[in-house]
Amino acid sequence: VNVVGQLVAHRSDEPHPFSLSCNPDLTLDLLALRRDGKADFVFCGQTNSELPFMRGDAAIAANEFDLLLDSPAADFPLFAPPREPISLADYAAGLHAAALIPDGGTLQIGIGSLGDAVAQALILRHRHNDDFRALLTRLNATPATAHTGPFTTGLYGCTEMFVEGLLDLYRAGVLKREVGGAVLHAGFFVGSRAFYRALRDMPP
C-alpha cells in the first residue's frame, strides 16, 4: 500500500477534529504501522458533511493526513443502499432465531432482509411478548430450548458491520448490555440515508 484515500467527518469543536467514521478498521491499523516505521504511504482525506462523526478510536488528529480535501464544493451524497422488503419466509426465520437468543447474550447480524427480520422479531419479543409467543406457536417454531421472555439485562452487539437493525434494537431498549462502556462494537457501517442522519443526530 502506498496511497490510502478515505472520506472523513470533520468537527472543529472536537479534540481530534477528524473521524474515520464509517470505516476505521483497516485505516487505523495502517496508520499504526506507519507511526511504527513499518509502512510508508501517503494518507489522503476528503471531508463529507453527511458522514456521522464517530468518536473513540475513529477520531484522529489533523497531522495524520498528508493531503486533505475539505471543501463544500467537493461534497456529495453518500452511497446508501435501500432497506429491502422482508419476505414472510424471512420473518418466520427471524422469529425462530429470536427465540434462540438468551437475555444477556451477544448479537451479530448482517445486512439485508434476514438481519432486519431478526431485529424486528427481537423487538416484537421485547415490546409485544404475547404476540411473539403466539406467532411462534402458530408457526410451530418454538425451539426445544427457547428464550421467549422480554429483555431485562438486554443484548450486547459485537459485529463486523453495524447495520440499521442494530440501531432499531438500541432504540427499542433491547441493545443495552454494556461491554467496555458500550452496547455495540463494530468495525464499519453502511445503511440508508435515514440511518446516517440518525447517527449524525445522536448525542455523543
Side-chain angles (χ1 to χ4, degrees), residues 98 101 107 117-126 151 155 169 174:
I101 301 168
L107 182 67
V118 172
Q120 292 309 308
L122 288 166
I123 293 169
L124 184 68
R125 172 179 155 184
H126 185 60
F151 293 94
L155 301 178
L169 289 168
V174 175

Side-chain angles (χ1 to χ4, degrees), residues 83-172:
R83 296 186 86 169
E84 300 173 17
I86 302 174
S87 69
L88 290 176
D90 282 348
Y91 272 127
L95 284 163
H96 180 79
L100 298 172
I101 301 168
D103 189 18
T106 299
L107 182 67
Q108 182 273 328
I109 54 176
I111 195 168
S113 59
L114 184 56
D116 283 345
V118 172
Q120 292 309 308
L122 288 166
I123 293 169
L124 184 68
R125 172 179 155 184
H126 185 60
R127 289 189 166 173
H128 305 283
N129 193 254
D130 290 343
D131 293 335
F132 174 76
R133 291 170 187 257
L135 281 170
L136 283 176
T137 300
R138 289 176 64 188
L139 289 169
N140 194 24
T142 306
T145 305
H147 302 277
T148 58
F151 293 94
T152 302
T153 303
L155 301 178
Y156 159 67
C158 186
T159 182
E160 181 185 21
M161 186 174 184
F162 175 18
V163 294
E164 206 156 350
L166 288 163
L167 181 59
D168 295 337
L169 289 168
Y170 172 75
R171 287 170 159 167

